[in-house]
């Protein structure tokens, strides 16, 4: 993809960050004006790290003004920043097997805005949980919503990366960006190595999404006991909050066998 400096000599410095620093992310660049989404957390972090006063951020900001250009730019940012895998999985392409029916039904209700706003899919590896998360994401995107899909390890690595930055509000900005996504999809909770920091970040993310009643779907291979041992009692309690009086979480146990076997 083109970068700002390719065609706009006067702002070439925006894309050619000083030696040793990151390039600005492709999913934050507008395909119409070739400038950037100033709300993208990585765009903000990189440019504020270079210039804490925000001048580089102002220079790099998307310049689209016409209504049709703005809509096209926003749609581009929505789809790019969702970070859905390139597999193009959908509900229609899902191959149902014994044990998957409840998972598919719950996911369809979730994406149609029915029932609890947190969906937790539990099942062994290779039983279609990731396919269903991606299906939710694509349908939500097509409905005009903001979406973010991350492996748990990707989210944690992204969060860790902010600690290497000189911009003081990076962690807060990044977490706030995740909290503001209409539909958040977190895959494979429990596969990463556990530390008190990991437990705290994941518990905070889940708790704040629950408190804000935002739509969140999570997949894990771990039952409640193993999740508590691996990730802590607090997180396990929130993800397995099946008390019908609370109506916080729709928990689905996928009993299918590994599709790869």
């Amino acid at each position: 993809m083109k970068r700002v400096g390719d065609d706009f000599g006067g702002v070439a410095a925006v894309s050619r960050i000083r030696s040793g620093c990151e390039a600005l992310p492709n999913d934050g660049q507008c395909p119409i004006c070739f400038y950037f989404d100033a709300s993208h957390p990585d765009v903000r972090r990189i440019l504020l790290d270079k210039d804490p006063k925000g001048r580089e951020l102002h220079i790099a900001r998307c310049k689209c003004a016409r209504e049709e250009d703005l809509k096209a730019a926003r749609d581009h940012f929505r789809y790019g920043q969702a970070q859905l895998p390139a597999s193009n999985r959908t509900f229609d392409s899902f191959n149902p097997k014994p044990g998957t029916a409840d998972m598919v039904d719950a996911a369809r209700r979730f994406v149609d805005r029915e029932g609890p706003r947190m969906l937790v899919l539990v099942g062994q590896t290779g039983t279609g949980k990731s396919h269903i998360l991606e299906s939710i994401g694509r349908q939500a995107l097509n409905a005009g919503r903001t979406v973010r899909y991350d492996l748990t390890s990707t989210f944690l690595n992204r969060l860790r990366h902010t600690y290497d930055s000189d911009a003081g509000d990076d962690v807060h900005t990044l977490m706030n960006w995740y909290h503001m996504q209409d539909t958040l999809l977190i895959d494979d909770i429990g596969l990463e190595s556990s530390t008190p920091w990991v437990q705290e970040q994941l518990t905070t993310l889940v708790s704040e999404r629950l408190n804000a009643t935002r739509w969140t779907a999570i997949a894990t291979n771990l039952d409640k006991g193993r999740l508590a041992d691996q990730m802590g009692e607090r997180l396990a309690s929130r993800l397995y909050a099946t008390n019908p009086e609370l109506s916080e979480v729709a928990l689905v146990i996928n009993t299918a066998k590994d599709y790869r076997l």
Side-chain angles (χ1 to χ4, degrees):
M1 178 178 286
K2 287 185 178 180
R3 308 299 259 174
V4 169
D6 294 341
D7 292 332
F8 299 86
V11 293
V14 171
S15 62
R16 293 199 289 270
I17 306 301
R18 68 177 183 273
S19 177
C21 288
E22 300 168 78
L24 293 172
N26 285 340
D27 68 350
Q29 186 175 29
C30 175
I32 298 170
C33 69
F34 300 109
Y35 286 77
F36 287 82
D37 175 11
S39 69
H40 189 296
D42 291 332
V43 171
R44 287 181 55 83
R45 174 176 55 78
I46 293 168
L47 293 181
L48 287 176
D49 187 40
K50 182 182 180 186
D51 179 12
K53 293 184 178 180
R55 289 169 296 194
E56 295 284 355
L57 192 63
H58 177 74
I59 292 171
R61 191 182 304 271
C62 178
K63 302 299 189 290
C64 289
R66 295 191 310 158
E67 185 175 346
E68 56 268 34
D69 288 346
L70 274 172
K71 183 181 184 305
R74 287 167 182 161
D75 283 345
H76 170 80
F77 291 142
R78 277 196 314 107
Y79 278 84
Q81 292 170 27
Q83 290 294 287
L84 288 165
S87 60
N88 205 30
R89 293 166 169 167
T90 65
F91 284 112
D92 289 340
S93 67
F94 184 71
N95 177 25
K97 288 191 175 183
T100 63
D102 288 345
M103 176 178 69
V104 175
D105 289 346
R108 287 188 179 277
R109 289 195 300 272
F110 175 86
V111 80
D112 287 340
R113 297 308 205 237
E114 299 176 6
R117 298 195 177 200
M118 182 163 288
L119 173 65
V120 178
L121 307 179
V122 182
Q124 66 172 302
T125 301
T127 55
K129 301 186 303 300
S130 296
H131 187 133
I132 294 302
L133 286 186
E134 293 176 38
S135 302
I136 290 171
R138 290 191 172 88
Q139 189 161 321
L141 277 173
N142 292 339
R145 300 163 189 156
T146 55
V147 172
R148 178 70 181 194
Y149 169 93
D150 267 341
L151 293 170
T152 305
S153 57
T154 302
F155 164 71
L156 292 170
N157 286 337
R158 197 177 188 202
L159 195 59
R160 288 187 187 100
H161 199 56
T162 65
Y163 289 95
D164 297 330
S165 172
D166 294 332
D169 68 344
D170 280 343
V171 173
H172 173 77
T173 298
L174 180 61
M175 289 297 285
N176 187 60
W177 184 81
Y178 273 96
H179 293 318
M180 293 305 295
Q181 300 307 302
D182 176 272
T183 302
L184 180 63
L185 311 169
I186 301 294
D187 205 355
D188 281 340
I189 278 188
L191 290 189
E192 63 289 328
S193 298
S194 178
T195 67
W197 181 84
V198 165
Q199 293 181 15
E200 183 61 30
Q201 302 314 312
L202 292 177
T203 302
T204 297
L205 179 68
V206 169
S207 297
E208 294 199 7
R209 295 286 298 186
L210 277 170
N211 292 338
T213 62
R214 294 195 178 277
W215 297 88
T216 309
I218 291 170
T220 180
N221 299 339
L222 306 181
D223 60 27
K224 185 177 182 181
R226 292 170 60 208
L227 186 66
D229 290 342
Q230 177 80 1
M231 292 287 114
E233 290 283 353
R234 290 172 58 212
L235 182 59
S237 175
R238 284 158 176 77
L239 295 186
Y240 280 82
T242 55
N243 185 338
E245 295 181 2
L246 298 177
S247 298
E248 290 183 334
V249 175
L251 176 69
V252 180
I253 307 298
N254 179 357
T255 60
K257 302 300 183 183
D258 191 333
Y259 274 57
R260 302 180 184 92
L261 299 179

